[in-house]
Amino acid sequence: MSTVVELSSLNQWFGENHVIKNLDLEVQDGEFLSLLGPSGCGKTTVLRMIAGFDNPKEGDIQLDGKSCIGIPPENRPVNTVFQAYAVFPHMTINQNVAYGLKRKKWKKTQIKEAVSKALEMVGMTEYGKRYPAQLSGGQQQRVALARAVVNRPRVLLLDEPLGALDLKLRKQMQVELMNIHREIGTTFIFVTHDQEEALVMSDRIAVMRDGVIEQLATPSELYDRPKNGFVADFMGSSNIIACSDLSSDGTSANAGALTIWLPEYNKEAITTLSNGVALVIRPERIHATKSPQGLTNEYKGRITERAFLGPMLLLVVELPFGTLTVKIPHSNEDSWFEVSEEIYCGWEPQDSVVVNK
């Protein structure tokens, strides 16, 4: 794969607020990359700089190997889809989608064919003669997508385009976005604060905090092997157990008065960890049983909270070293998992990951 977008040593200030800090990022041709992070972490600022709406105070942005600093948005090979649909209310859907092509002075026959294909792609073929006011919010967002992809831009930038939709429609649009991405092969850079959204759609995810990328990896790598406690906590529900007295071979540490066995690490990895580390384990990786199962890490505790989640049962269990959240598949044997019941919680070392605190 070739690099389509390359950000080098980007810095951006708004007044005295240093919002982007020496950020480097490469996005590959045809990749679906998500910028994920809490509000105010800088992800939309990065997108706006790529689009050309803002210029960085320092650093360079290259598109296909050429710097685009100072080049206005309309002259960059990118299109942007915003959370606000930004469709023209006085134009029909056909006219909205055709707008950019008319400005490029395409032939009428070419425009008609391209508009028809774009609307078919987003499932809006029969709505071409309607006006935006006659459409739902989800339908208007599809029009915005069609208008963005009809030009076949080198890079499509999406700034939380599904944020204003209800849950069911948002999930439907996630599938449609993935289908569109596969069909047109354009590079997508997608901004979201929704972890599930990023996990479902992305080839890679850049998790951001305070203007820097904390970790850039595939969805599975981020979920199973987070780099630090922030990434672990942000990428879904996690139990983070503070540990001390890391053994010289990295195989165990203390959590309070108890010993916890850790996943195997090579010597290079151990030397990068401080003596004070944290063990990360996902709630669904923990076994909850009425009697000991002989797991390497297994501790007796008491249920303090219980919640029914449909296919899963959530338990909050008080253990000697703190509280664990546990998710187990719902079954007909759940009746004894009641508040105040004593149970055993256990896991194997390979089901956890060690990070710096």
Side-chain angles (χ1 to χ4, degrees), residues 258-330:
L258 298 177
T259 297
I260 291 184
W261 296 95
L262 308 177
E264 291 185 4
Y265 280 81
N266 58 45
K267 290 182 179 180
E268 292 76 12
I270 293 171
T271 59
T272 66
L273 296 171
S274 63
N275 190 46
V277 299
L279 185 74
V280 176
I281 181 165
R282 299 293 183 184
E284 66 274 12
R285 300 287 173 84
I286 300 173
H287 299 270
T289 55
K290 200 167 186 177
S291 57
Q293 299 296 302
L295 297 169
T296 303
N297 292 310
E298 194 162 51
Y299 312 95
K300 189 176 183 179
R302 186 179 298 275
I303 300 172
T304 60
E305 295 181 42
R306 177 186 188 275
F308 177 64
L309 304 178
M312 303 293 287
L313 189 68
L314 184 145
L315 306 174
V316 178
V317 183
E318 188 66 36
L319 295 162
F321 51 77
T323 300
L324 287 186
T325 300
V326 182
K327 289 182 180 177
I328 58 176
H330 166 57

Side-chain angles (χ1 to χ4, degrees), residues 119-169:
L119 289 178
E120 180 183 359
M121 197 180 302
V122 298
M124 295 290 291
T125 300
E126 66 270 31
Y127 297 92
K129 295 182 180 179
R130 297 191 188 183
Y131 287 86
Q134 298 173 289
L135 304 181
S136 68
Q139 290 170 331
Q140 290 186 55
Q141 191 61 282
R142 294 183 195 208
V143 174
L145 278 170
R147 188 175 61 186
V149 302
V150 73
N151 292 314
R152 295 297 172 103
R154 195 74 176 92
V155 181
L156 184 62
L157 308 173
L158 302 109
D159 189 7
E160 303 204 47
L162 312 182
L165 306 180
D166 62 67
L167 179 61
K168 184 175 181 180
L169 183 56

Side-chain angles (χ1 to χ4, degrees), residues 335-348:
S335 58
W336 64 267
F337 286 109
E338 298 293 347
V339 172
S340 79
E341 292 280 358
E342 288 190 342
I343 63 171
Y344 287 85
C345 292
W347 67 91
E348 293 297 340

Side-chain angles (χ1 to χ4, degrees), residues 91-99 102 111 115-116 119 124-125 127-130 143:
M91 295 182 180
T92 66
I93 303 311
N94 282 334
Q95 291 168 338
N96 263 278
V97 178
Y99 179 77
K102 286 184 176 179
I111 292 175
V115 169
S116 176
L119 289 178
M124 295 290 291
T125 300
Y127 297 92
K129 295 182 180 179
R130 297 191 188 183
V143 174

Side-chain angles (χ1 to χ4, degrees), residues 28 32 83 89 98-99 120 124 131 137 142 167 174 181-182 194 216 233 249 252 260 273 304-305 337 357:
Q28 304 304 311
F32 195 128
Q83 182 174 337
Y99 179 77
E120 180 183 359
M124 295 290 291
Y131 287 86
R142 294 183 195 208
L167 179 61
Q174 289 172 13
H181 176 253
R182 279 193 293 267
D194 187 314
L216 173 63
D233 195 41
D249 60 359
S252 66
I260 291 184
L273 296 171
T304 60
E305 295 181 42
F337 286 109
K357 288 182 181 177

